[in-house]
Amino acid sequence: MPYLTSTRPGTACTDVRTGVGIPGLAHPLLAPTEWNGLTRPGTPLHWVVLNVADGPGVQPDPHCLEAAGRLRNAGIRVLGHLDIAYGLRSFGEVISDAHRFLDWYQVDGFLLDRCPADRVAFPEVRRTTGTLRVMHEDAHIVLGHGTHPCPEYMEHADQLVTFSGGWSDYRWSQVAEWTADHPPERFCHFVHGVPGPHLDEALRIARWQGAATIYFTDHTPSPHSGPWEPMPGYWDDIVSRIGTGVSE
């Protein structure tokens, strides 16, 4: 398979622990059990994205504030969801959303979703990430390209999402050669429609391609919800494979 032909040195035997980044769980009112379960001991979470209403919403949401506070009290990083819309949203709109996330939910950083990947858009993304770091010096910034961007983006984020899509594409995907110059903890993969029997194969691909933060789900996009909103049907199976224990 193509992912096995990568020349990335040492990835298959890295000591970096694979963990989960949750890119957009449903609102806490719609998924209270799922949000509560994220703080169970042994759950291998790197971070959880808070998406109130396609961003921070127009006013503070007490349910989201409680859910975010519970995660942060458990030592789990919470990221605000900022939709860049592939460069179509203005700088002012994005920064305004970031201010609301910080003021209302005390987030630890941001996922810049639908982030452009080309060199033309790079200066504006650099401007945005630089401003976010002025607003929050220790902000954890994830650029949600969903594909391999030009390498310059690497210097202005803590992590890049270099794959976001379906299982049929992921199992035959290949890694960009320049990623071999960076450790696995700098990369994330989000994959929907992964059948339960292929979960081990998906984890193997992530290891070979050098992505330490993953989110795999058996759900697929629907007209009414995205694939990331419900928890995977095999969530306990993921936890047992990459965590320190099975959630009960």
Side-chain angles (χ1 to χ4, degrees), residues 5 59 109 121 129 134-135 143 147 162 189 191 200 207 215 223:
T5 65
Q59 61 185 12
T129 58
V134 171
M135 293 165 57
L143 299 184
T147 188
T162 53
H189 289 173
V191 190
D200 278 335
R207 284 196 300 271
Y215 191 76

Side-chain angles (χ1 to χ4, degrees), residues 114-122 125 142-157 159-164 174-179 182 186-189:
R114 299 200 293 169
C115 186
D118 59 16
R119 286 186 171 86
V120 173
F122 173 70
V125 174
V142 182
L143 299 184
H145 306 285
T147 188
H148 288 94
C150 63
E152 288 86 344
Y153 284 92
M154 189 83 259
E155 302 306 316
H156 297 277
Q159 292 183 295
L160 305 182
V161 180
T162 53
F163 186 93
S164 181
Q174 297 189 51
V175 66
E177 291 185 5
W178 65 262
T179 64
H182 305 279
R186 303 294 303 278
F187 300 101
C188 315
H189 289 173

Side-chain angles (χ1 to χ4, degrees), residues 60-216:
D61 184 315
H63 304 287
C64 290
L65 180 59
E66 180 184 359
R70 192 162 51 243
L71 290 174
R72 296 187 73 246
N73 289 339
I76 298 168
R77 185 181 279 139
V78 177
L79 307 182
H81 179 274
L82 299 178
D83 185 7
I84 305 302
Y86 302 113
L88 296 179
R89 294 192 72 209
S90 71
F91 172 80
E93 288 177 311
V94 174
I95 296 304
S96 178
D97 279 358
H99 274 296
R100 288 198 289 271
F101 267 123
L102 288 170
D103 293 343
W104 296 346
Y105 304 108
Q106 292 80 53
V107 295
D108 305 293
F110 305 96
L111 168 67
L112 278 62
D113 196 19
R114 299 200 293 169
C115 186
D118 59 16
R119 286 186 171 86
V120 173
F122 173 70
E124 186 69 6
V125 174
R126 179 179 57 193
R127 177 190 181 200
T128 300
T129 58
T131 303
L132 294 176
R133 294 202 188 279
V134 171
M135 293 165 57
H136 186 331
E137 184 180 5
D138 298 322
H140 186 84
I141 296 178
V142 182
L143 299 184
H145 306 285
T147 188
H148 288 94
C150 63
E152 288 86 344
Y153 284 92
M154 189 83 259
E155 302 306 316
H156 297 277
D158 296 285
Q159 292 183 295
L160 305 182
V161 180
T162 53
F163 186 93
S164 181
W167 168 242
S168 59
D169 292 325
Y170 188 61
R171 68 185 311 191
W172 300 108
S173 63
Q174 297 189 51
V175 66
E177 291 185 5
W178 65 262
T179 64
D181 296 330
H182 305 279
E185 57 264 31
R186 303 294 303 278
F187 300 101
C188 315
H189 289 173
F190 303 154
V191 190
H192 58 72
V194 180
H198 290 277
L199 188 55
D200 278 335
E201 182 184 354
L203 289 168
R204 217 163 35 240
I205 295 172
R207 284 196 300 271
W208 277 98
Q209 293 198 1
T213 299
I214 57 96
Y215 191 76
F216 298 151

Side-chain angles (χ1 to χ4, degrees), residues 217-240:
T217 180
D218 48 346
H219 299 288
T220 56
S222 75
H224 305 294
S225 66
W228 322 124
E229 293 182 19
M231 292 294 280
Y234 39 62
W235 174 248
D236 284 349
D237 208 7
I238 294 176
V239 171
S240 70

